[in-house]
Amino acid sequence: MLKRILLITFTAAVLACQAAPKPQQLVEGIPNIKPDEQQSLVCKEIVALIENYNYKKLTVNDSISSLILDKYIKALDPYRSYFLASDIKDFEQFRYTLDDAFRVGDLSAPFYIFNVYSKRYNETLNYAIAHIKDKYDFNQNDTYVFDRAKMPWVTSTSTLNEIWKKRVKYELINLKIAGTPEAKNLETLTKRYQNLKSQSSKLNNQDVFQMIMDAFTETIDPHTNYFNPAKAVQFNEDMARSFEGIGARLQLENDVLKISEIIPGGPAFKSKQLNSGDRIVAVAQATGDFEDIIGWRIDNSVAKIKGPKGTKVRLKIIPVGHDMSSKPIIVEMVREKIVMEDQSAKKEVKTIQSNGQSYKIGIISVPAFYADFKAANAGDPNYKSTTRDVKLLIDTLKNKDKVDAIVMDLRANGGGSLLEAIDLTGLFIDKGPVVQVKDLKGNIEVSSDEHPGVAWSGPFGVMVDRLSASASEIFAGAIQDYGRGVIIGTQTYGKGTVQSSIDLNKLINPSILQRLASLVQKGNPGSGLTIKGGKGDTPQLGQINLTMAKFYRVNGSSTQHKGVMPDITLPSFYPMDKIGEDTEPSALPWDEVQRSNFVPVANLSGVKPELIKLHDARMEKSLDYKFLIDGIAEMKKRDLETSVTLNETKLKAERDSLEAKSLEKTNKLRAARGLPAVKKGDKVKKGEDFDFFQDESLRVMADFIQLKK
């Protein structure tokens, strides 16, 4: 129904808004990047979607235009290192017009701003490269201000050049302190800046459009996001934890595509024809001609290598260890569906000693709430999902490992599928409501676990931190409300909004897409992504994740802004005043709805104070806890710094002092664990690393088991 309504609304909107965009103001001295017709169309669609379906029910107006301008400029130049005050004054002409321009798909203003930025960016890099070989006095007592975010914009090119000369000096001092020869340092820094210029030259109008839409949508609310076609593909692959290709992770190094990792189980792994470090210099499809990809953007190269399972791809490879002048070897393989196991739920078992008793505790780490909806809808019985993976892990922990308790580690889990959060909760409660969702009309729907029975009924804990968000908060909140387990960690992120993913191609009348295809091919061939079709190429418009509802716990409290407060609180290493929904100016407020009709599994109100007492007693004696608190205080102090000395002796002394303190702390902690001391530069051996948060969570679980008995 929603799709039908949207299709009618937006087909009409497209037909109604045919005003021609203004001619774009050009910037002299650079190749100007310009928007195309499909981006104009997408911009109009996003305005209409936001005004008609965003939870905030707002109109894109002058005040929003002003906020977009500020956010866009800040995104381009956050530390005021490129733009001049005269540029910022020039951009003021757009402060209250972006709303009207976006409504008709006119992107000329933000593209002009980007082109000015591009000119300044390359000018500063050219200046920096030209002055790398200058003679610098590293004994002066001058300073480099690296964070100029709260300082006035620079008024002249000469002043900006002086700032960049200090940056060059700072980077040379860093290289010098590292102990490399001067000639090598000059070469390294020159290559670094040349690489930045090279990457800048590869930016296209899709990249610029993505930045513009980011500034627009994030002004509306932090989680309404537009994804251009390439980013939409990546988002959906991340959600599915799978993709179709050869099974190799790739990176760009000096404009050459290099294999950084072979994924176990994929075609590259099974064929034994590729190795980490191999360079890919050309790509061809099954019977097509080879295309040289040296100097290409990484996303364009990857798009050529990926493809539907069952299809062939051929690669020209310079093997690792061979010179780039070597004759390439040709490798052919058939693409397959690759499942990213290393980014899926996984388990481990640890043993904790407490009061003379030994307890085996299973830890299930869940990095996200993922699901391969495409495979599930196609009827694949083995489709990938968080709940299915965790269920198998629980069966192993329960029947093979014979654990006494289970801890779910949701640290840094930013969320994902709401359905998976509900189904995962169902593994720990019998039946009942899990989450309430209020839509933009104020209607409240209760989503429940409908499956009787539980996968694990024993002692249970959930680890959270400041980066645990969205679906993680739904799960942790439900476990807490039902009294099903103990929540351990820090206050969570506070993302209590629901986004619907809308494929913009499905909203547009096919005839309009065909007209758009011909316009794109005539005016700007190769812009964006296209899908080959019988009558021509269909432009891909990307997708928008639109905030259309809010989450509420079964106790009636929103997770928005406040998140989930843990039962056992640990210090947050992430700055609470910089990370979290309550730090976002455009975030929706906290509120409540009626409590849902649910029956708690247990009442832990009597146990929790005892757990807190035992935890606090351990923290009073804990060296890890003391050093963690000291480290957080030190980090806050450093976070306030905006400049650094350019005196080599002073800078080296500061670095040496910090390293010495860090090494001293490390060795005190190692001594407390019965481990030998390490020297500067030594790597910690596998098995010797220590996760204080995890260790304390396991000790809380041991206390929980004993108190329940």
Side-chain angles (χ1 to χ4, degrees), residues 270-329:
K270 288 187 280 193
S271 74
K272 296 183 168 49
Q273 296 181 86
L274 297 176
N275 296 289
S276 295
D278 288 351
R279 277 87 25 104
I280 303 173
V281 295
V283 182
Q285 305 312 311
T287 56
D289 295 331
F290 274 100
E291 292 181 88
D292 188 305
I293 62 168
I294 292 177
W296 281 28
R297 289 163 50 102
I298 188 167
D299 52 347
N300 292 342
S301 300
V302 169
K304 291 286 182 184
I305 296 168
K306 280 184 178 178
K309 64 180 179 181
T311 58
K312 286 183 181 178
V313 63
R314 291 179 293 141
L315 310 172
K316 280 187 180 179
I317 302 292
I318 304 290
V320 60
H322 289 222
D323 191 80
M324 281 299 292
S325 60
S326 304
K327 184 180 179 181
I329 62 170

Side-chain angles (χ1 to χ4, degrees), residues 544-558:
I544 183 169
N545 286 3
L546 187 67
T547 298
M548 300 178 75
K550 280 179 80 173
F551 290 130
Y552 296 84
R553 292 165 62 158
V554 290
N555 69 2
S557 173
S558 172

Side-chain angles (χ1 to χ4, degrees), residues 72 94 98 102 106-115 208 212:
Y72 183 48
F94 309 121
L98 293 177
F102 285 5
D106 180 4
L107 294 160
S108 57
F111 268 83
Y112 165 69
I113 291 171
F114 178 83
N115 288 328
V208 180
I212 295 165

Side-chain angles (χ1 to χ4, degrees), residues 210-461:
Q210 181 68 60
M211 286 187 270
I212 295 165
M213 289 300 101
D214 284 346
F216 176 24
T217 59
E218 288 169 16
T219 297
I220 305 305
D221 79 83
H223 308 292
T224 286
N225 303 118
Y226 167 73
F227 298 105
N228 69 29
K231 287 188 177 291
V233 169
Q234 183 63 51
F235 174 84
N236 293 315
E237 285 178 354
D238 287 345
M239 180 63 79
R241 286 299 188 264
S242 65
F243 64 92
E244 293 178 352
I246 64 170
R249 289 197 173 89
L250 306 167
Q251 66 183 59
L252 206 60
E253 190 175 275
N254 298 325
D255 280 346
V256 179
L257 195 67
K258 188 173 93 171
I259 296 173
S260 60
E261 184 184 350
I262 303 293
I263 298 171
F269 179 83
K270 288 187 280 193
S271 74
K272 296 183 168 49
Q273 296 181 86
L274 297 176
N275 296 289
S276 295
D278 288 351
R279 277 87 25 104
I280 303 173
V281 295
V283 182
Q285 305 312 311
T287 56
D289 295 331
F290 274 100
E291 292 181 88
D292 188 305
I293 62 168
I294 292 177
W296 281 28
R297 289 163 50 102
I298 188 167
D299 52 347
N300 292 342
S301 300
V302 169
K304 291 286 182 184
I305 296 168
K306 280 184 178 178
K309 64 180 179 181
T311 58
K312 286 183 181 178
V313 63
R314 291 179 293 141
L315 310 172
K316 280 187 180 179
I317 302 292
I318 304 290
V320 60
H322 289 222
D323 191 80
M324 281 299 292
S325 60
S326 304
K327 184 180 179 181
I329 62 170
I330 295 176
V331 169
E332 181 180 293
M333 56 188 66
V334 178
R335 299 175 176 107
E336 295 177 13
K337 182 174 180 177
I338 312 298
V339 177
M340 295 181 279
E341 294 292 351
D342 62 329
Q343 295 178 35
S344 304
K346 55 177 73 73
K347 76 166 181 77
E348 63 177 318
V349 178
K350 293 204 171 179
T351 301
I352 284 289
Q353 302 293 331
S354 179
N355 294 329
Q357 295 290 317
S358 179
Y359 299 101
K360 287 175 73 176
I361 301 176
I363 305 159
I364 300 177
S365 300
V366 178
F369 287 80
Y370 51 87
D372 191 343
F373 296 116
K374 184 179 176 183
N377 293 334
D380 183 350
N382 299 312
Y383 75 89
K384 189 85 174 158
S385 88
T386 303
T387 305
R388 292 160 70 96
D389 289 351
V390 170
K391 174 68 167 61
L392 291 171
L393 296 176
I394 290 173
D395 289 345
T396 306
L397 289 170
K398 184 168 62 175
N399 301 315
K400 183 182 176 184
D401 299 314
K402 308 287 185 185
V403 296
D404 299 296
I406 289 178
V407 171
M408 185 82 73
D409 189 348
L410 297 182
R411 289 177 295 172
N413 182 322
S417 166
L418 173 61
L419 291 175
E420 285 302 311
I422 295 165
D423 289 345
L424 190 67
T425 305
L427 299 182
F428 301 93
I429 64 169
D430 187 13
K431 284 175 74 174
V434 174
V435 61
Q436 304 183 79
V437 179
K438 183 166 76 171
D439 66 21
L440 67 166
K441 292 182 179 178
N443 300 319
I444 297 173
E445 181 181 334
V446 179
S447 297
S448 301
D449 165 43
E450 304 289 352
H451 308 291
V454 297
W456 176 255
S457 59
F460 185 54

Side-chain angles (χ1 to χ4, degrees), residues 118-167:
S118 180
K119 181 178 182 179
R120 298 294 184 218
Y121 183 84
N122 282 282
E123 284 173 348
T124 53
L125 286 179
N126 287 337
Y127 178 84
I129 291 168
H131 290 271
I132 287 172
K133 293 182 180 178
D134 287 2
K135 292 296 180 184
Y136 292 96
D137 182 356
F138 298 136
N139 295 313
Q140 286 181 315
N141 287 319
D142 51 344
T143 58
Y144 166 54
V145 179
F146 56 84
D147 183 351
R148 298 180 46 80
K150 294 180 181 178
M151 297 181 72
W153 292 98
V154 175
T155 56
S156 68
T157 303
S158 59
T159 306
L160 195 60
N161 287 344
E162 283 304 308
I163 291 169
W164 271 84
K165 200 164 183 179
K166 287 189 173 184
R167 175 167 167 172

